[in-house]
Amino acid sequence: MFIVFLRVLIIYVTVLVFLRMMGKRQIGEMQPYEVVITLIIADLATLPMSDTNIPLLNGILPLAILVLIHYVITLLTRKSIKIRRIMSGRPVIIISPNGIEYSALKQLNMNIDDLLEMVRQSGYYSFDQILYAIIETNGKISVIPTSACAPATAEDVGKNNPPAELPRIIIADGKILKEQMKISGLDNKKLNKILKYYKIQIKDLIILSLDNSGKLYFQIKGENFKLINNIYEEIKL
């Protein structure tokens, strides 16, 4: 029993030291190759802990080799932009002034729900608030808001701004979200009237959202987004 305890303690301290040598970044901040190495280290470390027939040195040596590999790759990515792009990829713009970059979304194997979740986590609730959104090489999103939605400065304090409205996603990836449509006060007749008025085919839509003030945001595949400030002023629903 004491031998097992001692082996576990030695492996634990060894892994802890190796991970500290690799850097202090959290899992969500790691590049893909760092995540792979970390997962392999975690898996390899359990073998000599649970199997006393494996010599301790044989358990520690693979861990040391992986840390060395990590060091070499990190060094190469610092020295070479080409290698850095191969190992870490490139940031991808998924929202631009034209709207959602649908091809980039598919390239990243993301859907509208994934994008919405990431945007909300960044503190934005409508795509028209965003000038650019970029998926970084570690999988996180960076958002550049439009000037109207940028953080307030000292000179902005005291200005009366209208209350924010949470838009409801009515159509995503060419599919109608019935529950959201009902919450927005729409039925099939009203929705069809909107689609007909703006000459929209459901199957062509990347997204269509509507908030309580009547602000309509939609984007058709292959086209720029369109924003209607108040559809109730244009259409009698």
Side-chain angles (χ1 to χ4, degrees), residues 13-148:
V13 172
T14 302
V15 171
L16 184 62
V17 170
F18 284 165
L19 290 179
R20 288 294 300 273
M21 289 171 61
M22 289 171 60
K24 292 187 177 181
R25 287 195 285 183
Q26 298 177 1
I27 292 293
E29 297 172 343
M30 289 182 176
Q31 298 297 332
Y33 71 90
E34 293 176 311
V35 174
V36 170
I37 289 176
T38 303
L39 291 175
I40 294 174
I41 285 176
D43 193 45
L44 286 175
T46 60
L47 297 177
M49 283 184 179
S50 58
D51 190 351
T52 54
N53 293 321
I54 300 175
L56 201 55
L57 183 61
N58 289 358
I60 294 175
L61 187 59
L63 302 179
I65 292 172
L66 282 171
V67 173
L68 179 62
I69 290 172
H70 174 268
Y71 175 78
V72 171
I73 293 175
T74 302
L75 187 64
L76 291 173
T77 55
R78 286 178 186 166
K79 300 290 185 182
S80 170
I81 293 176
K82 188 174 182 179
I83 293 176
R84 184 159 65 243
R85 286 177 177 170
I86 291 171
M87 299 304 297
S88 302
R90 300 185 184 189
V92 178
I93 296 173
I94 53 172
I95 299 178
S96 72
N98 296 327
I100 299 169
E101 299 293 334
Y102 194 68
S103 57
L105 209 61
K106 293 303 180 184
Q107 175 191 333
L108 294 170
N109 198 27
M110 292 174 61
N111 56 42
I112 294 295
D113 289 336
D114 297 329
L115 180 57
L116 279 168
E117 182 179 346
M118 298 182 81
V119 165
R120 286 195 297 267
Q121 288 174 348
S122 298
Y124 299 91
Y125 298 91
S126 179
F127 290 125
D128 61 278
Q129 298 175 319
I130 299 170
L131 187 64
Y132 284 98
I134 303 162
I135 298 295
E136 305 293 354
T137 54
N138 62 5
K140 291 192 172 183
I141 190 171
S142 298
V143 175
I144 302 173
T146 59
S147 56

Side-chain angles (χ1 to χ4, degrees), residues 168-188:
R168 302 289 181 181
I169 308 302
I170 311 300
I171 298 174
D173 285 324
K175 296 179 180 63
I176 298 174
L177 306 180
K178 297 284 187 181
E179 185 178 349
Q180 295 297 310
M181 186 174 76
K182 186 177 180 181
I183 294 173
S184 298
L186 296 179
D187 53 26
N188 289 331

Side-chain angles (χ1 to χ4, degrees), residues 1-10 48-49 52-53 56:
M1 180 63 73
F2 178 74
I3 296 297
V4 173
F5 174 78
L6 191 61
R7 288 170 67 92
V8 169
L9 183 61
I10 292 171
M49 283 184 179
T52 54
N53 293 321
L56 201 55

Side-chain angles (χ1 to χ4, degrees), residues 199-215:
K199 299 178 181 178
I200 304 170
Q201 295 291 326
I202 293 176
K203 61 181 178 63
D204 297 330
L205 277 170
I206 298 174
I207 189 170
L208 183 144
S209 68
L210 179 68
D211 68 16
N212 293 335
S213 67
K215 184 187 290 184

